[in-house]
Amino acid sequence: QVQLVESGGTLVQAGGSLRLSCAASGRTVSSTAMGWFRQAPGKERAFVAAISRSGGTTYFADSLEGRFTISRDNAKNTVYLQMNSLKPDDTAVYYCAAGWGPITRATLTPGWYRDWGQGTQVTVSS
């Protein structure tokens, strides 16, 4: 099992940028794809982005591609989510997740992931 700790969430004005970090411990996550999800109040957890083991392949939710970037540093056992041009609709708790293998289209679904962090709150004011 891996422990995931997200950080970087805060209150930011619309149009601003944030970088979220997800630090893993307990085992190396370089052997698995990683993902970010978010959950707004009253809504289901939604896919944001995923990254392959090497970082060479990334997937994004259609509405977010171009504003968000996902990256990873396997030497630091850390995954990042860079969020630009933030909008009030981006307000949510953001969760990092670790899977169990290579990136596939299934990586876009929460059920594929095995380990989850506790989340970090991102609030975008208008």
Side-chain angles (χ1 to χ4, degrees), residues 34-120:
M34 300 286 292
W36 285 95
F37 288 76
R38 68 184 183 183
Q39 188 165 17
K43 296 186 177 181
E44 294 185 352
R45 192 166 297 189
F47 171 75
V48 172
I51 188 167
S52 63
R53 293 174 291 187
S54 68
T57 299
T58 56
Y59 293 150
F60 293 92
D62 290 342
S63 61
L64 302 178
E65 192 163 11
R67 294 196 297 124
F68 288 17
T69 303
I70 187 171
S71 61
R72 67 190 300 164
D73 185 337
N74 286 337
K76 295 183 178 179
N77 230 21
T78 301
V79 179
Y80 305 97
L81 183 69
Q82 177 68 41
M83 306 185 293
N84 299 325
S85 303
L86 284 163
K87 305 174 182 179
D89 285 348
D90 295 319
T91 295
V93 177
Y94 283 73
Y95 297 92
C96 172
W100 52 271
I103 196 169
T104 69
R105 297 302 292 181
T107 316
L108 278 63
T109 59
W112 185 83
Y113 292 86
R114 186 168 63 186
D115 300 294
W116 292 83
Q118 292 301 307
T120 185

